[in-house]
C-alpha cells in the first residue's frame, strides 16, 4: 500500500512539473530567465523610455511620486540657500527697507511650499520672486523648465502605459484546449479564438510555432527547436473579419509535425504549441500581439468545439461564450497515417487493377457446315 501511494505521489509530482515546464503561459507571458549577462545594467538606462514602460505599476508609481517630491524638495533647499545667503530669513533680523529675493520665505517649510507652487504653477500670490536677485530669477527659470520636462516625461509614461496595446491583447482569448478531429475530410488541429470587443483588429494574421527538443544527424541537441505551424481560417488567414469567434485549424498532412502522432501516443510527446495573433488596434492604430500555448495534455484527440453562434428571433447574431471552450466527442481516426491509408485504399478500389497473369487468346472461327 505504501509503495502504491509513493508511486502515485511521484507520478503526480512528475506530471505537475511537466505541466509547469512551458515557455509561454496561457495568458501569453514568457517563462524565460537570463543569466550571466555580461553587459552592464547601464544599457537599460540608455533606453530609459522603454525601461520605464516595461516596469510594473508599483515601481512606476514609486518613480512618479519620487520624481516630483524629489524635485520639489531639492529646489526647496536651493530656495532656502538663496534666502540664507541674501539674509532674508527672520533670524538675520532684516531691516524694514530690506527687499528679499523671495518674499515671505521664513524657513525650510516655506521654501518647500514656494518650490511646489513654482513647479506646478499654482500661483497663490503670497510668495513671489522680486527683481532684487539675479540668482533667484535664474533659479525660477531653471525650475520652471525642468518642471515642464518632468511633467511631460512622467505623464507621458503613465499615458503610454495605460494605452499600450498589451492591454488590448487581454480582450483576445483563446480556447482552453486544442482539439483534433476531421474537418472537410482532412484530419485537423483546431483552436478557437474570440475578440471580446466589438472594435476590430485590422490586418490580423494567425500563425504558430511548435517548440520541441530535437537531435540533429550530427548529434547536436537543440532545445526549443521551432517548427512553423500554418493555420487556416475559412475566410483566409490574412485580413480576418474578426467580429465573432473564429475556429482556426492546422491541416495534419505529411508535412505536418503532428503526422506521426496518434491518439495513444500524443500524451507521451514532449512539445509546446505556441499560437500567435498579430493585428492593428482599430482605435489607436497600434500593433498588437496575443500569445498562448498548448502542451500535449491540452490537446484533445477526437473532439470538436460546440456551436457558439446562433441567430435570435430579432435577427441578431448571438455569441454564447458559455460554450466557448466546450468540446464534443466525435468519431475520429486514431492517427493521420490511418486516415490517408484509408483514402488511398478506397481510391484504388474505385480505379481497379489489371491482372498481369491474364492472357487473351484469339480463336479462329471455322465452319463445319457442308453444302
Amino acid at each position: 500500500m505504501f509503495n502504491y501511494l509513493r508511486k502515485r505521489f511521484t507520478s503526480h509530482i512528475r506530471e505537475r512539473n511537466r505541466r509547469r515546464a512551458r515557455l509561454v503561459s496561457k495568458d501569453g507571458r514568457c517563462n524565460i530567465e537570463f543569466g550571466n549577462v555580461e553587459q552592464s545594467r547601464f544599457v537599460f538606462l540608455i533606453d530609459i523610455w522603454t525601461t520605464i514602460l516595461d516596469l510594473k505599476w508599483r515601481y512606476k508609481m514609486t518613480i512618479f511620486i519620487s520624481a516630483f517630491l524629489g524635485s520639489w524638495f531639492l529646489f526647496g533647499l536651493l530656495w532656502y540657500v538663496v534666502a540664507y545667503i541674501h539674509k532674508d530669513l527672520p533670524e538675520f533680523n532684516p531691516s524694514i527697507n530690506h527687499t528679499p529675493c523671495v518674499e515671505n520665505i521664513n524657513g525650510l517649510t516655506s521654501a518647500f511650499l514656494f518650490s511646489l507652487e513654482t513647479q506646478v504653477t499654482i500661483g497663490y500670490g503670497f510668495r513671489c520672486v522680486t527683481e532684487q536677485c539675479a540668482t533667484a530669477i535664474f533659479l525660477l527659470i531653471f525650475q520652471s523648465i525642468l518642471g515642464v520636462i518632468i511633467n511631460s516625461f512622467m505623464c507621458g509614461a503613465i499615458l503610454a502605459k495605460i494605452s499600450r496595446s498589451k492591454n488590448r491583447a487581454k480582450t483576445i482569448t483563446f480556447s482552453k484546449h486544442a482539439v483534433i478531429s476531421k474537418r472537410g475530410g482532412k484530419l485537423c488541429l483546431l483552436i478557437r479564438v474570440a475578440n471580446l470587443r466589438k472594435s476590430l483588429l485590422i490586418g490580423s494574421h494567425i500563425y504558430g510555432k511548435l517548440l520541441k527538443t530535437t537531435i540533429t544527424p550530427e548529434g547536436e541537441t537543440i532545445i526549443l527547436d521551432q517548427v512553423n505551424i500554418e493555420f487556416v481560417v475559412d475566410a483566409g488567414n490574412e485580413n480576418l473579419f474578426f467580429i465573432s469567434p473564429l475556429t482556426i485549424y492546422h491541416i495534419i498532412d505529411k508535412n505536418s509535425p503532428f503526422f506521426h502522432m496518434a491518439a495513444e501516443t500524443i500524451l507521451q510527446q514532449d512539445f509546446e504549441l505556441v499560437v500567435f495573433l498579430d493585428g492593428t488596434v482599430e482605435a489607436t492604430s497600434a500593433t498588437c500581439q496575443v500569445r498562448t500555448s498548448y502542451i500535449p495534455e491540452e490537446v484533445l484527440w477526437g473532439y470538436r468545439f460546440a456551436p457558439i453562434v446562433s441567430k435570435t428571433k430579432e435577427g441578431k447574431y448571438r455569441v454564447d461564450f458559455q460554450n466557448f471552450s466546450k468540446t464534443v466527442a466525435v468519431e475520429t481516426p486514431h492517427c493521420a497515417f490511418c486516415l490517408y491509408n484509408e483514402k488511398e485504399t478506397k481510391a484504388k478500389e474505385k480505379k481497379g487493377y489489371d491482372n498481369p497473369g491474364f492472357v487473351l487468346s484469339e480463336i479462329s472461327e471455322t465452319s463445319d457446315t457442308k453444302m
Side-chain angles (χ1 to χ4, degrees):
M1 183 66 181
F2 177 75
N3 292 333
Y4 173 76
L5 294 176
R6 185 178 63 180
K7 289 181 180 179
R8 289 295 301 271
F9 179 75
T10 304
S11 176
H12 174 72
I13 294 297
R14 190 184 301 112
E15 185 70 20
R16 188 168 129 195
N17 292 336
R18 184 181 178 185
R19 284 177 176 269
R20 290 183 177 179
R22 60 198 309 162
L23 179 65
V24 180
S25 63
K26 297 297 289 184
D27 57 357
R29 292 177 297 176
C30 295
N31 181 26
I32 191 169
E33 179 180 345
F34 297 102
N36 299 324
V37 179
E38 296 181 358
Q39 290 184 336
S40 173
R41 298 283 183 180
F42 182 73
V43 297
F44 294 98
L45 296 178
I46 297 177
D47 187 14
I48 186 63
W49 179 254
T50 305
T51 302
I52 293 295
L53 290 183
D54 289 339
L55 289 177
K56 296 182 178 179
W57 273 108
R58 54 179 177 269
Y59 302 125
K60 184 184 292 292
M61 294 307 299
T62 300
I63 295 176
F64 182 85
I65 296 173
S66 300
F68 283 102
L69 288 180
S71 61
W72 296 340
F73 184 74
L74 175 62
F75 280 99
L77 289 177
L78 295 177
W79 287 114
Y80 179 80
V81 171
V82 170
Y84 184 85
I85 294 176
H86 198 253
K87 297 183 179 181
D88 297 334
L89 301 177
E91 55 261 30
F92 292 106
N93 297 318
S95 62
I96 299 176
N97 297 327
H98 178 77
T99 302
C101 293
V102 182
E103 293 183 353
N104 298 311
I105 286 187
N106 302 320
L108 185 60
T109 302
S110 57
F112 173 79
L113 292 175
F114 178 72
S115 173
L116 188 153
E117 295 167 11
T118 300
Q119 188 163 328
V120 299
T121 63
I122 293 178
Y124 288 130
F126 182 68
R127 281 174 283 269
C128 62
V129 178
T130 64
E131 68 276 5
Q132 185 69 25
C133 299
T135 304
I137 297 175
F138 173 78
L139 185 59
L140 176 66
I141 295 173
F142 182 72
Q143 183 177 5
S144 299
I145 295 174
L146 186 63
V148 172
I149 295 175
I150 294 176
N151 288 339
S152 301
F153 184 86
M154 298 308 302
C155 294
I158 295 295
L159 180 61
K161 181 76 172 179
I162 295 174
S163 61
R164 287 187 77 178
S165 56
K166 183 178 180 181
N167 297 326
R168 177 63 174 92
K170 295 181 179 179
T171 56
I172 305 295
T173 181
F174 287 87
S175 56
K176 184 178 179 180
H177 294 91
V179 297
I180 295 179
S181 60
K182 291 176 64 176
R183 188 183 181 112
K186 300 177 181 179
L187 191 65
C188 301
L189 182 141
L190 300 96
I191 297 172
R192 179 172 276 174
V193 58
N195 180 13
L196 302 181
R197 290 185 179 272
K198 292 185 178 180
S199 59
L200 302 179
L201 284 180
I202 304 172
S204 300
H205 174 58
I206 299 176
Y207 59 97
K209 298 285 185 180
L210 187 70
L211 308 179
K212 60 179 182 178
T213 302
T214 59
I215 300 177
T216 63
E218 295 77 16
E220 179 185 3
T221 301
I222 302 178
I223 300 178
L224 297 178
D225 185 25
Q226 300 184 14
V227 180
N228 291 327
I229 301 295
E230 295 183 0
F231 283 97
V232 183
V233 186
D234 292 336
N237 61 345
E238 296 286 349
N239 299 324
L240 304 178
F241 185 48
F242 199 11
I243 191 65
S244 63
L246 299 175
T247 300
I248 61 175
Y249 59 93
H250 164 70
I251 300 175
I252 304 178
D253 53 13
K254 295 182 179 180
N255 297 323
S256 172
F258 294 94
F259 184 76
H260 299 286
M261 299 182 189
E264 298 82 3
T265 62
I266 190 171
L267 294 179
Q268 284 74 42
Q269 302 292 326
D270 185 14
F271 68 84
E272 180 178 352
L273 175 62
V274 184
V275 183
F276 302 86
L277 172 62
D278 297 339
T280 303
V281 182
E282 186 181 27
T284 62
S285 298
T287 57
C288 171
Q289 184 181 86
V290 192
R291 299 180 296 267
T292 191
S293 69
Y294 299 91
I295 56 178
E297 290 79 7
E298 296 170 345
V299 179
L300 305 179
W301 196 296
Y303 288 83
R304 64 173 175 81
F305 290 110
I308 191 174
V309 180
S310 60
K311 195 172 184 179
T312 62
K313 296 180 180 179
E314 294 79 12
K316 294 183 179 180
Y317 291 94
R318 183 175 183 271
V319 179
D320 186 7
F321 280 95
Q322 185 177 0
N323 295 334
F324 180 73
S325 294
K326 186 177 180 181
T327 57
V328 180
V330 293
E331 184 179 354
T332 306
H334 74 284
C335 67
F337 188 74
C338 298
L339 176 62
Y340 288 102
N341 279 349
E342 181 183 352
K343 288 184 176 181
E344 291 178 1
T345 302
K346 291 182 179 180
K348 290 179 181 180
E349 289 178 355
K350 291 181 179 180
K351 291 181 179 180
Y353 289 91
D354 292 333
N355 185 2
F358 176 78
V359 177
L360 177 62
S361 59
E362 295 183 359
I363 301 176
S364 59
E365 296 182 357
T366 58
S367 178
D368 294 338
T369 304
K370 295 182 180 181
M371 293 297 294

